[in-house]
Amino acid sequence: MSKTFHLMAKPTSFHCNLGCDYCFYLEKENIMQASTQRKPSYAMSDDVLRIYIKSYIASQPTQEVEFAWQGGEPTMAGLAFFEKALAYQEKFSNGKIIQNSLQTNGVLLDDKWCKFLKDNDFLIGLSIDGPEELHNTYRVTNTGQPSFKMVMRAVELLKKHKVKFNTLTVVNNTNVHHPVEVYEFLKIIGSTFHQYIPVIESQSYQGVGEIRTINIGHSTENLLPFSVDAEAYGDFMNTIFNEWVRNDVSKVYIQMFESALAAWAGYEPSLCIFQKTCGDAMVIEQNGDIYSCDHYVYNDHVIGNVLKDKLSKIHGSKNQIKFGKDKATQSGTCTECQYKVACNGGCPKHRLTTDERGIPHNMLCPGYKKIFAHIDPYMQYMAREISQGRTAANIMNVAHLIR
């Protein structure tokens, strides 16, 4: 039987109606134009869309198949594009249950869009970085105008049409100093599932050939100014954890804490960045090219094209297997760390420094250690409750007694 894998779709490639300073995907314009010798259109062609949907459904051994649409900004493909995508899903479903999620900045959402999303049970991921001043620091339009009011309009429309939505918050050098304000704001707007994504971007970025590293020890001199400090990120997440563990367990789901709880309960962490190996989360670009990972859309990480290669063969290729296993090569600091089971060295994208032996090491390590050390006793308690058939939410009754 073939193995389950995830294939995220980028139907609009790098195209976006915002110009967020920290966006790593905007640079893909140069890569895409160089590979195609022309500027890509705003939407994936009908041939690529049809074959992608047919092949992806057929390649999955499970009865449920999840389609994830991201960008760039996927709504720039237009509503008709997604209506066509659903028609192909129905045509090729072969009795399987199809689910769709869409990550968006919300700018183009209107009543028509939201009715469509509700009618077809889309799960929306909305990108928002906190209250107005914090959000507008980096999330601006291509002409430099603030986007907060447009995003809040999207929030109201999603709630009006009762569309399920989560939030994705990029933790940067500014909002990292305001954890309570960010957390409380997200709860106020109705988000019950939070993703907090730390931004680490370097002037010399890895991803070409072997995983490249920058031998800068613990210095951050090569990191771009919006990058988050590891220790500050640890403080940010710990402050949010303190609010969550006392008030919101089972009411608000925070991706990192859910992944950690899985690890403490003896399971594989749910977040791919904390799993032992990579390779099961690929991405399909607008032209049908398949890349090893969303963060490795570089020419030497093209592992096939949906128009000419079977997806199961691409996923099982030597290059992709090697890409996945390379993550398991960890620094001495990682192999000796008591929190290895929860972290596994983190995302290779963030291995921008080296340990004393010259082995790649994660820039966020000091932050991760701070987080895992802080949440450890609470996670132990919740894991015990789950193992005994009780709810992890019981932690809220005793959280004030811990430490």
Side-chain angles (χ1 to χ4, degrees):
M1 178 180 288
S2 59
K3 184 180 177 182
T4 301
F5 59 87
H6 186 61
L7 185 59
M8 177 196 299
K10 301 274 190 177
T12 58
S13 188
F14 58 84
H15 292 291
C16 190
N17 44 11
L18 293 186
C20 307
D21 289 345
Y22 54 60
C23 181
F24 72 92
Y25 220 79
L26 292 177
E27 69 175 0
K28 305 309 181 212
E29 179 173 7
N30 296 328
I31 295 172
M32 297 305 159
Q33 288 186 225
S35 64
T36 62
Q37 301 300 312
R38 62 184 178 83
K39 187 172 183 178
S41 62
Y42 276 147
M44 184 181 280
S45 72
D46 185 73
D47 281 347
V48 173
L49 178 65
R50 176 174 48 80
I51 295 175
Y52 157 54
I53 290 174
K54 181 179 181 180
S55 302
Y56 186 44
I57 293 173
S59 70
Q60 298 303 294
T62 56
Q63 275 301 109
E64 292 189 11
V65 182
E66 298 182 2
F67 284 82
W69 307 91
Q70 296 202 17
E73 175 49 44
T75 59
M76 291 180 70
L79 190 53
F81 173 88
F82 285 95
E83 290 171 337
K84 183 166 53 177
L86 291 186
Y88 283 137
Q89 288 175 354
E90 183 178 2
K91 179 178 180 180
F92 298 122
S93 64
N94 195 29
K96 293 184 178 181
I97 299 170
I98 309 298
Q99 298 177 334
N100 287 279
S101 64
L102 185 146
Q103 185 67 40
T104 178
N105 58 38
V107 171
L108 293 179
L109 296 185
D110 56 17
D111 283 305
K112 189 174 181 181
W113 258 109
C114 289
K115 184 179 185 305
F116 168 81
L117 297 171
K118 174 62 178 177
D119 289 346
N120 294 286
D121 199 29
F122 270 67
L123 173 63
I124 300 303
L126 188 69
S127 300
I128 187 165
D129 288 353
E132 186 166 8
E133 184 177 353
L134 298 177
H135 176 89
N136 285 337
T137 302
Y138 295 117
R139 295 194 65 80
V140 296
T141 68
N142 291 320
T143 58
Q145 298 304 305
S147 67
F148 180 80
K149 287 182 171 57
M150 292 183 280
V151 179
M152 287 305 298
R153 177 176 175 272
V155 170
E156 294 308 313
L157 284 166
L158 290 169
K159 291 197 286 190
K160 172 186 173 183
H161 289 272
K162 296 181 172 55
V163 179
K164 297 177 296 186
F165 74 95
N166 300 332
T167 50
L168 186 155
T169 299
V170 176
V171 185
N172 54 65
N173 68 319
T174 299
N175 63 1
V176 73
H177 301 297
H178 304 274
V180 174
E181 293 94 321
V182 171
Y183 181 60
E184 292 299 328
F185 169 77
L186 295 179
K187 289 201 298 179
I188 287 170
I189 67 172
S191 175
T192 57
F193 188 100
H194 302 185
Q195 294 183 64
Y196 295 102
I197 310 298
V199 61
I200 296 284
E201 294 293 339
S202 171
Q203 295 174 14
S204 305
Y205 188 62
Q206 87 275 21
V208 182
E210 296 297 317
I211 294 175
R212 294 182 177 181
T213 59
I214 305 161
N215 194 355
I216 56 177
H218 293 292
S219 167
T220 56
E221 61 183 349
N222 285 328
L223 295 183
L224 295 171
F226 44 73
S227 296
V228 69
D229 174 77
E231 296 269 2
Y233 173 65
D235 292 335
F236 176 91
M237 293 305 300
N238 284 346
T239 302
I240 290 176
F241 182 84
N242 290 342
E243 296 293 319
W244 175 78
V245 80
R246 288 166 173 78
N247 306 297
D248 297 320
V249 178
S250 295
K251 293 183 283 187
V252 174
Y253 295 86
I254 297 177
Q255 189 183 49
M256 184 179 189
F257 303 153
E258 296 296 320
S259 180
L261 182 55
W264 259 264
Y267 300 100
E268 180 88 2
S270 54
L271 263 172
C272 68
I273 63 170
F274 293 140
Q275 293 174 356
K276 293 178 182 178
T277 59
C278 296
D280 291 332
M282 304 180 294
V283 61
I284 179 170
E285 255 290 345
Q286 189 182 57
N287 63 355
D289 282 344
I290 311 292
Y291 291 81
S292 295
C293 170
D294 182 28
H295 294 289
Y296 287 87
V297 179
Y298 295 92
N299 290 334
D300 61 339
H301 281 290
V302 180
I303 52 176
N305 186 289
V306 74
L307 296 177
K308 57 185 179 182
D309 303 304
K310 290 185 64 174
L311 289 181
S312 57
K313 184 177 180 180
I314 294 172
H315 176 243
S317 67
K318 291 182 179 179
N319 287 342
Q320 185 64 359
I321 291 172
K322 181 180 184 302
F323 174 84
K325 288 183 176 180
D326 279 349
K327 185 192 175 184
T329 303
Q330 296 171 1
S331 68
T333 303
C334 289
T335 57
E336 298 163 7
C337 180
Q338 69 185 100
Y339 303 116
K340 179 185 174 183
V341 67
C343 177
N344 288 302
C347 182
K349 174 192 175 184
H350 295 149
R351 295 179 184 179
L352 296 174
T353 185
T354 56
D355 68 2
E356 64 280 358
R357 304 172 195 171
I359 298 176
H361 191 64
N362 198 308
M363 291 291 295
L364 288 169
C365 176
Y368 287 149
K369 282 185 174 180
K370 182 176 282 191
I371 295 166
F372 296 138
H374 179 71
I375 70 177
D376 177 44
Y378 304 93
M379 288 293 170
Q380 288 190 40
Y381 181 93
M382 287 190 282
R384 284 196 301 271
E385 290 297 286
I386 292 171
S387 70
Q388 294 171 20
R390 296 190 291 267
T391 174
N394 287 340
I395 186 65
M396 293 188 289
N397 299 324
V398 298
H400 65 287
L401 301 175
I402 297 179
R403 293 188 184 273

